[in-house]
Every structure is written in C-alpha cells, then in structure tokens.
C-alpha cells in the first residue's frame, strides 16, 4: 500500500468545517481532517482494489503508519483495509489487534473491530477463548467488542460463548458495556427469544436499566 500517496489524496479532501463538526460529535476526544465516510470510501477504493489483487499477506506496516497519525480518518482507513483484507488475517492477528484496540479506543473504531473479530472467531474457533478473556477485561471497550462480535449471525451464533460473555459483563459496568449488553440481547432475541427471556429472568439483578432499554429499542 502506498501510504504517502494515500496521505496526499486524503489531505486534498480535508474540510476544516467538517473537521470541526466531526470533532464536536466525538466529544472533542480526537482530531479530524474533515473527510467524511463517502469521500473516504472513494479515496480508498483503488487502494483496496490493488491490495486485493496483489497482496498475499496483511500489510501491517501500512496499518501502523495509519495508526501513528494523530488524525482519526487514518485509523478508519486502516480498519477499513483490515476488514476488506480479512481473508488474509491469521489466527494470531489478535495480538496485533489488541495493541490497536488499546490505543485511543472509541465507539467508532469499536464498530470496525467487532466485525473483524466476528470473522476471526468464525474462521478460527480456537480464538474464541481470546474473546472470552476480553469479556473479563477491566477495559470497557474490550468488553464491548466481545459482546458485539457476533452481531447479525442469527441462528449461527455461538450461544454458549455469548452467554459466558454476557455473564462476565453484568453488574456495575461503564456505559459502553451496559449498552452493548442490551444490544447483544436484542440481536440474540431474533433467533433465540426463549434464551433471552430466560436470561433476563435469571439475571434481572445484574441487568442495568440502560441495558434493558437498549434491549427493547
């Protein structure tokens, strides 16, 4: 991946007004160039096409270069790349993903990580133990990815694993975890309504009002 050229292309699209809005929407936690999702997809498309045609392994140097930039759009591009090239991810990719997840986590990047992890646990069942470990983490963002990594699997969800993860995330938790518990249960409810009903009855004391609200959303 030609990182220098990608930087040039991205900077050409920078919009200070959009950057201000994007920064405000993220609670002023991160800096932005002001390149929206539509423009990022357009810019990244030829790079992703070339990568799909030529790469036989993940370009982790490219990911690292993107991650080192103090601008959020570069991180989105790195995660977009990993998601597109997920077929090249090996079962030891978790070690690298963990390092990325620890650095300036957030709602936005978490959405990418959960999709990447969804793929990895489906392809490499032995990696489920890593996701279960994340659900026991003190880091709410690791818990959130663990809770949401099976979204939209429907009847193919690993219900046994998901129940263990949910149990590790009950009780006093931070907002990202409480919301993810509810979202997870809402997703499971589509294919496993009896399980969700019984889980809520059995663990009513551990489910927060915020989780229940999200479940019913």
């Amino acid at each position: 991946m030609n990182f220098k050229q990608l930087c040039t292309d991205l900077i050409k699209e920078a919009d200070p007004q959009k950057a201000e809005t994007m920064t405000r929407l993220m609670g002023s936690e991160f800096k932005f160039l002001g390149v929206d999702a539509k423009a990022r997809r357009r810019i990244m498309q030829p790079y992703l096409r070339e990568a799909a045609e030529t790469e036989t392994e993940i370009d982790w140097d490219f990911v690292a270069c993107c991650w080192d930039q103090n601008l959020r759009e570069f991180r989105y591009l790195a995660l977009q790349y990993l998601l597109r090239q997920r077929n090249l991810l090996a079962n030891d990719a978790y070690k690298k993903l963990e390092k990325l997840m620890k650095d300036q986590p957030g709602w936005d990047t978490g959405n990418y990580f959960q999709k990447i992890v969804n793929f990895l646990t489906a392809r490499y069942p032995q990696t489920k133990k890593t996701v279960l470990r994340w659900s026991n983490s003190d880091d709410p963002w690791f818990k959130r990815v663990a809770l949401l990594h099976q979204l939209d699997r429907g009847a193919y969800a690993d219900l046994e694993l998901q129940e263990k993860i949910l149990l590790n995330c009950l009780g006093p938790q931070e907002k990202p975890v409480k919301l993810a518990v509810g979202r997870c249960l809402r997703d499971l409810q589509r294919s496993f309504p009896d399980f969700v009903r019984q889980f809520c009855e059995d663990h009513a004391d551990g489910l927060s009002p915020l989780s229940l609200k999200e479940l019913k959303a």
Side-chain angles (χ1 to χ4, degrees), residues 131-137 143 147 161-173 177 181 199:
V131 181
L132 184 59
R133 173 171 57 82
W134 288 355
S135 70
N136 269 314
S137 171
K143 284 180 176 286
L147 282 162
L161 173 62
Q162 207 62 52
E163 181 177 19
K164 292 177 180 177
I165 290 172
L166 281 163
L167 289 172
N168 288 337
C169 297
L170 297 180
Q173 300 287 345
V177 180
V181 167
F199 186 89

Side-chain angles (χ1 to χ4, degrees), residues 58-155:
I58 294 292
D59 187 348
W60 288 107
D61 287 338
F62 167 75
V63 173
C65 286
C66 287
W67 220 255
D68 287 343
Q69 308 308 306
N70 192 29
L71 292 161
R72 205 64 172 171
E73 286 93 343
F74 283 100
R75 298 201 167 187
Y76 297 156
L77 294 182
L79 291 169
Q80 187 180 348
Y81 163 76
L82 287 174
L83 189 59
R84 175 71 175 270
Q85 294 292 83
R86 59 190 178 276
N87 283 316
L88 299 180
L89 289 168
N91 62 1
D92 63 352
Y94 280 100
K95 296 176 183 178
K96 294 183 173 68
L97 291 177
E98 284 185 346
K99 292 181 180 179
L100 299 179
M101 288 168 63
K102 288 178 181 177
D103 185 17
Q104 292 187 352
W107 305 91
D108 51 352
T109 53
N111 293 334
Y112 283 100
F113 281 119
Q114 69 197 40
K115 293 176 182 178
I116 295 168
V117 173
N118 190 336
F119 171 83
L120 284 171
T121 54
R123 170 169 278 196
Y124 307 109
Q126 66 270 34
T127 62
K128 293 177 182 179
K129 61 184 180 182
T130 300
V131 181
L132 184 59
R133 173 171 57 82
W134 288 355
S135 70
N136 269 314
S137 171
D138 292 331
D139 189 322
W141 299 106
F142 275 82
K143 284 180 176 286
R144 182 174 175 80
V145 170
L147 282 162
L148 300 181
H149 86 278
Q150 291 195 71
L151 283 187
D152 299 322
R153 280 196 191 178

